[in-house]
Amino acid sequence: MPHPPRRHPLPATLFSILVLPFAATAAGGPDADASADAAGHAATLDTVTVTGTRATGRTVRESAAPIDIISAEDIRAANATSLLDVLNTTVPSFNLPLETGDLNSMVRAGQLRGLNASHVLVLIDGKRRHSTALLGAGGFGGASPADLALIPTGAIERIEVLRDGASAIYGSDAIAGVINVVTNKRREGGNVSYRDGQYFAGDGRARVIQADAGFGIGDGGYLHLAAQIDDQEATDYTSPARDSFLYYFPRDAAGNPVRPGGNQASNPTLPAGATADPREATRDNHAWQNRGIRAFRTKTATANASLPLGATTEAYGLLTLAKRDAWAPQNFRQPLRNEVVRAIHPDGFAPTEHLDEEDGAFTVGVRGQLGEWDWDLSSGHGRDTIDINLHDSINPTYGVDSQTDFYIGRLRYSAWTHNLDLRRRLQTGWLAAPLEFSAGAEYRDEGYRIGAGDLQSYTHGGQPVLDGPYAGTVLGAGLGGAQALPGFRPEDEVDVSRNSSAVYAGVAADVGTRWRIDLAARHERYSDFGSETTGRLSTRFEINPRVALRGTISNGFQAPSLAAQAYRNTSNGNFFTDHVVQAGSPQAVALGAQPLRPETSRSVSLGIVAEPWIGTSLTVDAYRIDVDDRIALSTTFREGLYPGTGALVTSVGLGAQDGVRYFINAADTRTEGVEATLEGRFDLGRGGNLRWTLATSHTRAEITGLADTPAVLAAYDVPVFSQGSQNELLYKAPKSRQVLGLDWTLGRWRAGLRQSHYGTIQRYGSPTTVATSGPYAGQAEIAYDIGGIWITDVQLGATLVGGWDVAVNANNIFDRKVTRLPEPLLAANEYYRYANGGPIDGSGGAWSATLRYRW
C-alpha cells in the first residue's frame, strides 16, 4: 500500500501506597451528564477506585497507594492523538519519549517512574491486556509492552494509574505500576464528536472522529458501543542538505562522472580537479524528510456488554478491535551511492517503512454471588499482528530486476488468559470491621511468531554496479536485501509458545478505626524458566481526620518476553551486516550468551496524605525500586569496532566483517524518587469555580551492578554492555517534571491552563571524528541536555443548547522545540538536527477545534 500524500483535502483494586493523584487534570469519575461537564469534575479524593487491591473498592482518599484518576473530560481536554499522549500530558510520572527511528517510532510506548515501558501492566476493566508483537516498541530495547495507542479514547469512562509495584496481585510486569482503563458502561445516551487541527508550521494535520452510544438490553443489562478514527499527517523538521554535500557524481574536465572524495555514502566531496554535476543546482535539498511526527491512520472500536442471568449473577463481555496503518520515511540515498540503481532511481530515493497492523481482543465472563462469596470467572484472548512493508526502495544486487516495494515479514503475538477471582468478608471477634479475604487462580497461554519476507527483501542477487565510475564493482553482503529495512529470512522464522499458571491470595483488615493493613501474595510458574513468588504489604494509618501516613513494601518480577527469547534478525549496513541472534542459540552460546532470567524487583515507598485546609489535599510519596537482571541488547561487536573479533564472528558461521549482538540480563538498577501533589478548589461566587492542581515528580536512577563480560569477549576487550547502552537504560525520562493545572468553569463556559516543566534529560552521543579543538575537543562521548523545557497548553470551551459543545485547544502555544544536537554529532549532510527521544520534538505547537453532540 502506498504511503499517504503529504496533504489531504479536509477533510482491580490493587495496592494502596503512597501518593494521591497528581495528574494535572486529575478529576472525578464518569462523564455522566452535561451539567457535570460544565461544573468541572467530581473531587478526585472521593472517586472510588478498582485498582491496587482485591478488597472492595475504596476512594483515592482512603488508598494506601498513589493513584491518579483521569476522567473522560480530562482525556478530551488533553487534546492528544492517543491514550499514550493523554497519559504523557496529565501524569507527571509518565514519560513518552518521541523516537524517529524505524518501526519503534510507529509503535510507541511510555514509561512510569523512569523504568522500562514493559514494567507497566495494562488492564482493561481489571483484566490483563495483551502485548504488542513489536519487540523494542518506542525504543525500549527488549520491551514488548501493551499498546495503549490502540485503545480508543472515546470508549473510556476513566483511567486509574497506580504508581506502585503490584506483581503480588497481578503477576508479571507490574514493577513500576498499573494502568487500568475503565470502559464506558452507560445504558443510554451517547456522543459524536469531530476534532480537526494542525501544527503551527502548517503541517501535521490531525483529525479525530469519535462516536459512542449506550443501549439497555434485557432486564437491567446494557450494551455500549464506541468507534474512533484517527488520521494524523506527518510533520517534517529535517535539516536541508548542506550545499557542500554531493548528490551526483563529480565531473572531470571532459564532463565524465568520476568517483567523489571522502566517504561515498556519508560524506562525498569534490576531488581535486573535478567540478560539480550541473544537476546539483536544481536538486531537492529537502530530500531527507524523516524527522517529525509519523503519519498514521487508526480505526478502533469497542463493544461492552452485560446481561443479568439471575438475581445475583451476570454475564459480561468486552470486544476491542483496531486497525492501524503507519508510515516512517527513512534516509535519502543520493544517486552517487552504489546502493542506488540509477536506471530505476536516477535522482536517488528515500524509502518509506509501512506498518499494517491488526489488533483484536475479547473477554467474556460470568460473575455473581454464592452464599458469602463474590466470584468472577473470565476468559480473554488478545492478538496483535503486524505486517511490515517497504516502499520506494531497492535491492541493488538485483540491478534493474529489483523490486521497489517489498514485503518485509510478519510479527504476531497472542495470549489467552483465564481467571477465577473469589472474595468474601469474614467476621472476627477482634477486628472492628469484617476482614476482607480474596483468592484466585490464573492460567495463560502465549504465542509469538516471525514470518519471512519476500525473497528479494533479504537475498543477494549477485548483480554488480551497472554504471558510473564504480561500474562492475561487486556489491558486498551488506548491500544485499531491501535498503533501509531488509526482510526477515527463513532462518529468522520462529513459532514459539509458553504457558504460565498462578495462584494468589490477599487479606485486608481494618485494625481499629485508623489503621488498615493489606497483604497479598502470589506464586506463578512459567513453562520456560520456572517459578516466582511475590508478596506485598501495604498499610495506611490515620493520625487524625486530616492527616494519614501510608506505605508499601513489595517484590515483583517480569518474565522475559517470548519475543526477547526468540527474536533473531539480520540487517544490512553500508559495509557490513548486523545480526541479532537468539540468546539460547548455539551461535550466541558460543559467543558467551546465557539463558535469559526474569527481572526481579524490590520496592518500598512511604507517603503522607493531608488536608492542609478545607477543600484541598496534599500528598507526598517517596519510593525506591531495585530491579535486578534487566534485559537489554548486548554490545554490538565486529572487526571494525573491536579488532580481532572477526575471528569470533566467523567461528559461528557469519561474515568476517559482520556485527553480532544478543539479549542479555545486562544490569541491576536502582530508581529513587519523590512525587507530590497539591490540589484544591476555589469558589469564586458569581465568578464561577476554579479547580487547581500542582504536581511534581523527581527521579534519580543508577546502575548498581553490571553483567559479567564473558571470557570469550573479554579476550578482545569487548564490554558486554557498553557505556552508551548504560546511558540509554538510565536517562530516557526527565529527572524532574512539574505540572500546574487550572480549570475554570462558569455556567456553560470553561477555560483551562496547563503549564508543564521538564527537567534535565541527559543524553550522550559519540562523534564520528573526535574534535581536536573547540568546546568538544577530545570528547569521544558528548553529553548534552534535551530538557529544561516549559510547555503551555490552553483550552476554551462552551456547552451550547441542544446538546452541542465546542472547544478550542492550543498545545505548546509558545511553539517550543527540543534542543538541537551539538555540532560534532551532526551528519555531514546536516546543518542542524533536533534531538529525539525527549518529551517534545521539533514540530512545535499545535491547535485544534472540537465540535461535539451529546444525547
Side-chain angles (χ1 to χ4, degrees), residues 57 73 85 142 155 173 180 273 305 356 402 418 490 496 514 525 589 655 674 725 746 814:
E73 183 62 22
D85 295 287
D173 306 341
N180 184 26
D356 182 357
S402 174
H418 315 279
V496 295
R514 296 185 179 185
R525 183 199 63 82
V589 171
V674 177
S725 298
L746 177 62
F814 297 111

Side-chain angles (χ1 to χ4, degrees), residues 593-629:
Q594 300 288 327
L596 292 178
R597 302 182 300 275
E599 301 179 353
T600 57
S601 69
R602 301 167 306 283
S603 63
V604 59
S605 59
L606 183 64
I608 185 171
V609 182
E611 186 179 18
W613 59 89
I614 300 299
T616 65
S617 69
L618 169 68
T619 65
V620 181
D621 296 276
Y623 63 88
R624 171 185 286 181
I625 307 171
D626 289 287
V627 186
D628 294 343
D629 294 325

Side-chain angles (χ1 to χ4, degrees), residues 80-82 84-86 88-89 94-111 136-140 199 232 235 237 290-296 728 731-734 758 761 763 784 786 789 791 811-812 816-819 821 833-846:
T81 56
S82 78
L84 280 168
D85 295 287
V86 170
N88 193 46
T89 298
F94 190 86
N95 176 55
L96 180 65
L98 290 167
E99 297 289 335
T100 57
D102 296 318
L103 300 175
N104 60 33
S105 66
M106 296 182 279
V107 180
R108 301 170 64 199
Q111 58 185 153
F140 286 94
Y199 284 82
Q232 173 72 61
T235 64
Y237 53 85
N290 58 332
R291 297 198 172 273
I293 301 298
R294 301 315 197 195
F296 65 83
E728 180 74 7
Y731 300 127
K732 274 189 176 291
Y758 298 89
I761 308 175
R763 291 289 183 269
Y784 57 101
I786 62 173
I789 300 171
I791 301 295
N811 288 13
N812 190 4
R816 291 296 309 275
K817 296 178 174 62
V818 73
T819 304
L821 289 185
R833 185 196 300 180
Y834 289 100
N836 70 310
I840 65 170
D841 58 12
S843 299

Side-chain angles (χ1 to χ4, degrees), residues 535-572:
R536 176 180 171 275
L537 167 63
S538 185
T539 187
R540 180 182 186 275
F541 182 77
E542 187 176 282
I543 298 175
N544 61 51
R546 296 177 62 173
V547 180
L549 299 177
R550 62 187 180 186
T552 297
I553 184 169
S554 67
N555 68 324
F557 78 103
Q558 181 179 46
S561 70
L562 274 177
Q565 296 184 79
Y567 186 84
R568 66 170 290 157
N569 181 240
T570 301
S571 59
N572 50 20

Side-chain angles (χ1 to χ4, degrees), residues 130-305:
H130 64 278
S131 301
T132 177
L134 182 66
L135 180 64
F140 286 94
S144 296
D147 191 349
L148 286 162
L150 296 182
I151 302 171
T153 57
I156 298 174
E157 174 187 294
R158 70 181 185 273
I159 306 167
E160 300 175 355
V161 182
L162 173 65
R163 292 175 276 113
D164 196 10
S167 290
I169 299 176
Y170 299 117
S172 176
D173 306 341
I175 287 178
V178 178
I179 296 173
N180 184 26
V181 178
V182 181
T183 60
N184 203 319
K185 301 173 180 65
R186 287 199 306 256
R187 292 175 168 85
E188 59 185 9
N191 296 264
V192 175
S193 66
Y194 173 71
R195 186 173 79 218
D196 201 338
Q198 65 181 20
Y199 284 82
F200 295 167
D203 56 1
R205 186 177 186 180
R207 289 163 293 176
V208 180
I209 300 173
Q210 293 178 337
D212 76 284
F215 308 90
I217 57 174
D219 184 12
Y222 68 86
L223 171 65
H224 198 98
L225 303 175
Q228 185 167 323
I229 299 175
D230 296 80
D231 190 350
Q232 173 72 61
E233 297 181 13
T235 64
D236 178 32
Y237 53 85
T238 316
S239 167
R242 291 181 186 265
D243 294 336
S244 60
F245 189 86
L246 298 181
Y247 280 23
Y248 300 92
F249 287 116
R251 303 285 175 157
D252 61 17
N256 299 311
V258 297
R259 297 187 181 191
N263 185 290
Q264 179 206 14
S266 62
N267 188 21
T269 59
L270 279 175
T275 58
D277 187 297
R279 289 174 293 179
E280 300 284 4
T282 58
R283 71 186 191 182
D284 179 8
N285 276 333
H286 294 274
W288 279 267
Q289 297 177 353
N290 58 332
R291 297 198 172 273
I293 301 298
R294 301 315 197 195
F296 65 83
R297 297 190 190 116
T298 60
K299 301 174 183 178
T300 52
T302 65
N304 195 1

